[in-house]
Amino acid sequence: MGCLYAAGRCFGKIRGLARPRAQLLQGWRTAKIVPPAHAQTRFASEAAAAKCERLTVRKQKDGIRTIILNNPKKRNALSLTMLKSLRSDLLHEAESNDLRVIVISAEGPVFSSGHDLKELTSAKGWDHHAEVFAVCTEVMTLLQDIPVPVIAKVNGLATAAGCQLVASCDVAVVSDKSKFATPGVNVGVFCSTPAVAVGRSLPRKVTLEMLFTGEPISAHDALLHGLVSRVVPEDKLDEVTMKIAGKICETSRSVVALGKATFYKQMALNRNEAYQIAAQVMVDNLTLKDGQEGILSFIQKRKPVWTHSAEKADE
């Protein structure tokens, strides 16, 4: 199942990721299956219990969606169920102009300990293991493919796939008590998939030291080497994160979506190819209503009025 979320139809050509909307969203829609009559009571009670113990909590206000990893008793492990819940929260009404930025945080002292190792035993089987890593890959790529900025707000330990989650977000604001590690080697499972995201954020030798030893790095070392954006005192974490999110909300959604998609595309190219694509996108940006509105508002010394759409400016 494909789950790469294009920034919008108008940006699909630039990114090469355009897909029919129905196909993009089919993975998080649940089929309507009616259970046998004798099982309905049991299923109803299980559903009620699951609802009371949601693994992620989604809230949204003033354009800012907060997704909270909500399983502190299990160190917010990225179980298959947790990953699917996170994916659903990310994709929920992702096309709406009311959504401007996403903040991912966690309950408890551990942001996320990574995969649930109980799901990786031989008893679960190859098919289950393959599904875990396939869904994890979908979620990690979705963070960068979704058209709005995604901010990780970290206050604690992030290890293995939890560290991968932080590295995959567009921005990461962390408290000074946070730590980051890829310790899979210590339990016989090298952190190869976390290394994809971490290795694209940190210098190669720093990444390999983390992978080979499993030792954590501090929040300040993570900032020094580029894994996170800011390190702040714990009591300032909410304030600083919301300030960044609020600033993003003041900009044009369509312009940000175009810019985010282009950034990740050009980063995978050599310099000359990157400039070729980026220059064309700058021209495309100027054809948008919001592109022209921003320039005119600056010239006229007034606050811009954004449409947040991909509509073209009048000729």
Side-chain angles (χ1 to χ4, degrees):
M1 176 195 62
C3 187
L4 295 180
Y5 188 93
R9 290 183 180 177
C10 63
F11 309 137
K13 184 177 180 181
I14 295 169
R15 309 191 59 204
L17 291 173
R19 297 186 184 182
R21 182 175 181 272
Q23 180 184 350
L24 289 168
L25 302 181
Q26 67 180 1
W28 58 279
R29 288 178 178 153
T30 304
K32 295 181 179 179
I33 301 174
V34 179
H38 68 276
Q40 290 185 17
T41 301
R42 176 171 61 84
F43 285 0
S45 62
E46 289 176 353
K51 187 174 181 180
C52 292
E53 299 179 3
R54 293 175 58 191
L55 293 181
T56 62
V57 176
R58 183 184 71 245
K59 304 176 182 178
Q60 187 166 326
K61 182 180 180 182
D62 298 330
I64 302 171
R65 176 176 300 170
T66 301
I67 302 173
I68 305 169
L69 306 183
N70 190 41
N71 194 11
K73 291 182 179 179
K74 292 191 175 181
R75 298 161 64 88
N76 293 312
L78 296 178
S79 63
L80 183 57
T81 305
M82 172 78 89
L83 287 166
K84 288 181 177 179
S85 183
L86 178 56
R87 180 179 64 185
S88 178
D89 286 342
L90 288 168
L91 286 171
H92 178 76
E93 296 184 354
E95 297 172 327
S96 172
N97 285 344
D98 292 334
L99 176 62
R100 307 299 311 290
V101 61
I102 295 173
V103 176
I104 300 177
S105 62
E107 288 288 348
V110 177
F111 178 78
S112 176
S113 59
H115 291 294
D116 184 346
L117 295 183
K118 291 181 179 179
E119 292 189 339
L120 304 183
T121 63
S122 58
K124 289 291 185 179
W126 189 94
D127 288 343
H128 182 81
H129 298 166
E131 184 180 10
V132 167
F133 289 104
V135 174
C136 183
T137 297
E138 289 178 8
V139 170
M140 299 303 169
T141 53
L142 177 61
L143 293 169
Q144 295 179 358
D145 289 336
I146 204 165
V148 297
V150 182
I151 302 172
K153 184 179 77 172
V154 183
N155 186 29
L157 183 64
T159 66
C163 186
Q164 179 185 5
L165 178 60
V166 176
S168 298
C169 290
D170 303 312
V171 176
V173 184
V174 309
S175 72
D176 50 13
K177 76 174 192 179
S178 299
K179 293 184 178 181
F180 307 87
T182 51
V185 68
N186 294 326
V187 295
V189 184
F190 200 84
C191 284
S192 294
T193 47
V196 174
V198 176
R200 282 163 170 73
S201 297
L202 293 171
R204 181 176 300 183
K205 288 180 171 58
V206 176
T207 301
L208 286 171
E209 181 179 337
M210 290 177 65
L211 292 166
F212 291 155
T213 67
E215 288 296 308
I217 63 173
S218 68
H220 289 288
D221 281 342
L223 177 63
L224 175 66
H225 296 303
L227 181 63
V228 305
S229 313
R230 296 199 192 189
V231 177
V232 299
E234 184 177 6
D235 60 357
K236 296 290 185 181
L237 184 59
D238 288 340
E239 177 186 341
V240 172
T241 304
M242 290 301 108
K243 184 177 181 179
I244 295 172
K247 189 66 178 177
I248 292 170
C249 288
E250 295 177 5
T251 63
S252 164
R253 187 184 196 273
S254 57
V255 170
V256 169
L258 179 59
K260 175 176 173 176
T262 306
F263 175 81
Y264 284 111
K265 185 171 181 62
Q266 63 87 14
M267 286 295 288
L269 303 173
N270 65 45
R271 183 194 61 188
N272 291 346
E273 291 174 330
Y275 268 121
Q276 184 177 5
I277 287 178
Q280 181 59 55
V281 171
M282 291 291 290
V283 175
D284 293 340
N285 194 156
L286 290 171
T287 68
L288 297 178
K289 279 189 174 181
D290 280 357
Q292 288 301 309
E293 168 62 14
I295 291 174
L296 290 174
S297 65
F298 178 82
I299 294 172
Q300 297 169 1
K301 298 181 179 181
R302 60 175 174 81
K303 188 174 181 180
V305 179
W306 306 120
T307 67
H308 301 297
S309 74
E311 292 182 41
K312 300 291 186 180
D314 295 333
E315 296 294 342

